[in-house]
Amino acid sequence: MGGAGKTTLVKEVAKQAKKQKLFGEVVMVTVSQNIDLKRIQRAVKLAERLATTQNKILVILDDLWEPLHLPMVGIRLPEMVATCKVVITTRNKDVCKRMSCREIIELKTLLDEESWDLFKSRAGDAVDSLMRRELTQNIVKECATMPLALVVLGEALKGKSPKIWGALLMGLIMSEVDLPGVSKQDFKSIQLSFDFLESEAAKSCFFHCCLYPEDYDIPKEELMHMMVGGGLLIGVETLNDAQGIVDILLNQLKARALLLQGSSEGYVRMHDVVRDVAIQISAKDHGFYVQDGQGWRDWPENIDPNCRRLSLMGNDIQDLSPGPMEYPRLETLILRGNKRLASIPEMFLRHMGSLMVLDLSSTRIKSLPKSVSCLTNLRVLNLRNCHYLKDISHINGLKMLEILILEGCPVSIAPEGVGWPQNLRFVNLSCSVDDYFSKEFPRFRWLEQLFMNKFAGSFQELIISLRHLTHLFIAEVDLDDPLSHELVSPSSWPDRLLKFSLSFLKDRPWNWHDSIDRRGLKLMGTKPLALWVKRLRETTTQLALVEFQETELIPIDWLSLSSLQYLELVNWPNLTKMLGDELLFHEQISFSQLKEMIIDNCPRLTSLLPFSLWQKLEGLRVKDCPMMLELFPCLFPALEILNIRDCQEMSEMISPPASLQAPCFFQRLRELHIKSCPRLTHLFSYKQAIGMQHLTHLYIQDCAALEAVVISTENKDEASASTSTRIVDHESFNSLFPNLTNLFLFDLPQLNAFNHPAALPIGWLYLKYPWIKKCPKLQLPLLRAYTNPQTSGIGREEEEEQTDDADREGGGDSEPDWKLEG
């Protein structure tokens, strides 16, 4: 039965399996009633790529409703018996039998004591009071030891009076419901928890979540749009305030166990049993109709003509009735994800005059029907990812429209300006008519949030006209001379912006899709910068400075950038230092929030900032900086992937003070890529290398002076006393790179040993993909001892393929998932 705890149990299995390192990677996919083969295939391939130790993978397929042919998703158990294990959960024991499961475990209900403890953990210690003890015993008994029911009711009753506890108990006793796949106890507990919600807004928010399919990440922003568009947040002045209220409502629902946390902060999810109950309740008393993923080819015939909110998301609807549909009370219509739907009949929407929210996103429509103009109450129009949509001219006359989403639409036919809606508050564009919209925006005087790829109008007019802007995201602002002139009074619009992402560079757009929760600014060198630019810069978390031609130091008030998370410096021909000497040890300068930095084409820069200023740095790219002498003046323990290229003058990769020569460098490093560093003679000392226990991929190419990867400066005489001694002494030394699986050595003419002296141990027990070429001085017997000859590239002499091999195996110009490049 749903809600018995199957998913919770296998999540704990996954957690323990990773904690005990039983598998290199654990992947869990919720399958549900409508199997998405591509999604499962992607997850399995991702797990295979991430897995390290012998590539052992645990695959958990949660909530199977019918047998799944595993080879169809890339799981070939006869071939992968030693490296892959599969766990499934299902409500149907026959699924286990038909999939030939080796072991079938029936999930029993909780014991009475366990049920009491679970309920108490959610309802609080009040269950132990004399007044409530008998009530609690009876409530737990009515829940029939079903975990979901116990959790939901426990959260609902927390802090409530004994009178409400008694009323809830009576509700459980009197319940007579029958919903397939949902126990009576779960249904009534969810319904009662819903009944106890304090506000109608919370109940409406709950119902709107059930409009989305099973196992769906529900975007909080979309919920806000639907509730604002549906007139359910009356009296809220701004969209930002509305989002705050919706977030509070969602937190209330999560606290009641009616919602779950989504994959990230911006999303929530709904348990499939809770969703089934929500659909049932909303359909009965609130005019909701939900049919998703059922494979509908045509419009369902059993829809109540008086329904108010209708979702047919993710079906296969291809044809719609050519005549007008009679739904005079319909307020929300969602046809999202019907990917066969190529057109909407011209009169289809004519008799839907009450419609306030219309979602046609991710369909194949090429134009909007004429009857769109009849939707005089429409407030939200979502056309995101309608990749064939060209013509939106019929939105003329939508006087009430507040939220318009055209992201991912190649629109080329737009309405005439006279008929544009004047009440727009939210506009999201990513289309080919940016120039058209740029000229029209000053008409939208109530606009609060604007997202677009390129703005080519008058930026000053935009700012002066749009006095309500709180969110401004433009990937490229096309201006002639933007940054050195004041656009408006400095005390006005920069202070109103709560979130922004603006790039004032041609052909260097800022990807606002990845930064909608941040404040980003990309500037080109202009001297001096206008005050409004400085005001924006003071609040930014992402800052890019490009082509500051004349300056030798970065012209920034570093004290005002304490919240900076991302810094990019590009094309600074005269930059020699990142900080002046007078600021280098300034007590108030700190980059404690800085997580990523990119330095590109700074030919005179010789070193970076001291580690003490950026202790949380996770990603670093240094590229085309030929004078860089000291890349790492101190350790960076958070880096996971390191890529160094074309550092012509670098003779040592790490040159710390003697006191720091300990096994604490790059403790999290998984991949190391070195290319075209002609002065490097080695990469690490032995003490530096032994701290890199997580290294799985090592690629070195075109380093003319490299003699060894690891050298030992301690006990040289003892270590090199016998070159014939190649036995690994694990008691005397820590093993080098014990998890290394991929090794690539190419075009290293002076490399004569991987580690020097050669007696130092190498613990490559899992080395699977060695590729060693153009290393004439390297003796290979020891390497062969740790490799699989069927996969090894050691000693191959196909000279004509060497360059292609290098690129293919990771030493070419293809970019890794870098954390540092130089």
Side-chain angles (χ1 to χ4, degrees), residues 386-458:
C386 290
H387 297 305
Y388 299 88
L389 181 63
K390 299 285 188 180
D391 184 356
I392 61 168
S393 57
H394 292 304
I395 67 172
N396 261 348
L398 300 183
K399 302 297 185 183
M400 300 295 290
L401 193 65
E402 298 182 4
I403 296 169
L404 174 63
I405 302 172
L406 289 170
E407 182 184 354
C409 301
V411 173
S412 58
I413 304 175
E416 297 178 3
V418 176
W420 258 104
Q422 304 296 307
N423 294 317
L424 282 172
R425 302 168 67 188
F426 178 101
V427 174
N428 189 330
L429 305 173
S430 176
C431 51
S432 56
V433 289
D434 282 336
D435 290 351
Y436 171 85
F437 283 104
S438 297
K439 298 173 184 177
E440 293 295 328
F441 277 130
R443 299 176 182 267
F444 311 149
R445 298 189 179 275
W446 298 103
L447 197 63
E448 300 175 33
Q449 301 186 17
L450 171 60
F451 301 77
M452 66 185 303
N453 278 356
K454 186 174 182 179
F455 180 82
S458 168

Side-chain angles (χ1 to χ4, degrees), residues 785-799:
Y786 287 98
T787 60
N788 183 341
Q790 295 181 349
T791 59
S792 173
I794 295 175
R796 296 183 181 177
E797 298 298 338
E798 301 90 339
E799 294 293 335

Side-chain angles (χ1 to χ4, degrees), residues 477-767:
V477 181
D478 187 6
L479 298 175
D480 293 330
D481 186 15
L483 304 179
S484 60
H485 295 85
E486 292 298 342
L487 300 180
V488 288
S489 172
S491 62
S492 56
W493 71 277
D495 299 326
R496 294 199 308 267
L497 291 182
L498 301 175
K499 296 177 182 179
F500 58 87
S501 181
L502 300 169
S503 173
F504 293 95
L505 283 79
K506 288 186 177 181
D507 303 321
R508 284 182 175 268
W510 192 279
N511 187 4
W512 55 259
H513 301 270
D514 297 331
S515 58
I516 58 175
D517 288 327
R518 301 185 183 180
R519 301 183 296 275
L521 198 59
K522 183 173 283 193
L523 307 174
M524 180 177 287
T526 301
K527 192 176 182 179
L529 293 176
L531 186 57
W532 66 269
V533 181
K534 295 179 180 178
R535 295 289 290 269
L536 283 179
R537 194 178 61 191
E538 289 175 0
T539 61
T540 188
T541 59
Q542 295 179 308
L543 179 62
L545 304 173
V546 180
E547 296 183 10
F548 281 65
Q549 299 287 338
E550 306 298 328
T551 55
E552 296 183 359
L553 296 174
I554 300 176
I556 293 178
D557 179 10
W558 292 106
L559 296 177
S560 67
L561 298 177
S562 58
S563 61
L564 196 65
Q565 299 175 13
Y566 173 98
L567 176 63
E568 181 178 355
L569 308 176
V570 181
N571 297 344
W572 287 47
N574 296 311
L575 184 67
T576 58
K577 297 180 180 179
M578 295 188 67
L579 281 182
D581 294 338
E582 74 282 1
L583 295 174
L584 194 57
F585 299 103
H586 198 294
E587 293 182 356
Q588 296 182 6
I589 291 182
S590 173
F591 300 101
S592 59
Q593 303 302 315
L594 192 65
K595 295 181 179 179
E596 187 171 347
M597 184 167 70
I598 294 176
I599 302 176
D600 187 356
N601 193 21
C602 299
R604 297 183 62 190
L605 188 64
T606 59
S607 63
L608 305 181
L609 293 175
F611 166 72
S612 59
L613 296 180
W614 51 16
Q615 298 183 24
K616 295 184 179 179
L617 192 72
E618 297 175 358
L620 173 63
R621 173 190 285 183
V622 180
K623 183 179 180 183
D624 293 332
C625 298
M627 296 303 293
M628 184 70 68
L629 301 177
E630 190 179 48
L631 192 61
F632 298 109
C634 241
L635 65 163
F636 290 89
L639 288 177
E640 295 185 3
I641 301 176
L642 172 61
N643 190 315
I644 304 173
R645 293 187 180 188
D646 301 312
C647 292
Q648 305 294 324
E649 299 298 320
M650 187 182 300
S651 59
E652 285 189 295
M653 198 173 79
I654 301 176
S655 52
S659 61
L660 290 173
Q661 296 220 10
C664 56
F665 288 87
F666 308 126
Q667 293 178 2
R668 300 181 185 176
L669 196 68
R670 294 187 290 106
E671 295 187 19
L672 174 60
H673 302 249
I674 309 288
K675 182 180 179 182
S676 301
C677 297
R679 297 191 62 187
L680 281 177
T681 59
H682 68 279
L683 300 186
F684 308 105
S685 72
Y686 175 69
K687 280 193 174 182
Q688 293 165 357
I690 58 176
M692 299 162 61
Q693 295 288 299
H694 296 287
L695 190 71
T696 61
H697 293 64
L698 177 59
Y699 303 97
I700 310 173
Q701 180 181 359
D702 188 25
C703 295
L706 193 73
E707 298 178 1
V709 176
V710 179
I711 63 170
S712 176
T713 57
E714 306 86 7
N715 302 321
K716 284 185 178 180
D717 294 338
E718 295 180 15
S720 60
S722 173
T723 58
S724 62
T725 303
R726 300 190 184 276
I727 299 175
V728 177
D729 182 358
H730 290 283
E731 294 181 358
S732 302
F733 296 96
N734 288 321
S735 182
L736 289 178
F737 315 138
N739 289 307
L740 194 68
T741 59
N742 291 53
L743 174 65
F744 178 88
L745 305 175
F746 183 79
D747 198 10
L748 307 172
Q750 299 302 318
L751 185 68
N752 55 60
F754 185 87
N755 52 302
H756 182 79
L760 295 179
I762 302 174
W764 299 337
L765 301 181
Y766 304 114
L767 188 61

Side-chain angles (χ1 to χ4, degrees), residues 10 92 95 107 113 125 197 298 347 415 434 717 721 733 759 810 818:
V10 290
N92 187 348
V95 171
L107 185 58
E113 184 179 351
D125 293 336
L197 289 173
D298 301 309
M347 293 294 104
D434 282 336
D717 294 338
F733 296 96
W818 55 269

Side-chain angles (χ1 to χ4, degrees), residues 761-779:
I762 302 174
W764 299 337
L765 301 181
Y766 304 114
L767 188 61
K768 285 193 167 187
Y769 304 106
W771 198 272
I772 302 172
K773 286 190 175 184
K774 284 193 174 182
C775 302
K777 295 187 177 182
L778 183 63
Q779 296 182 6

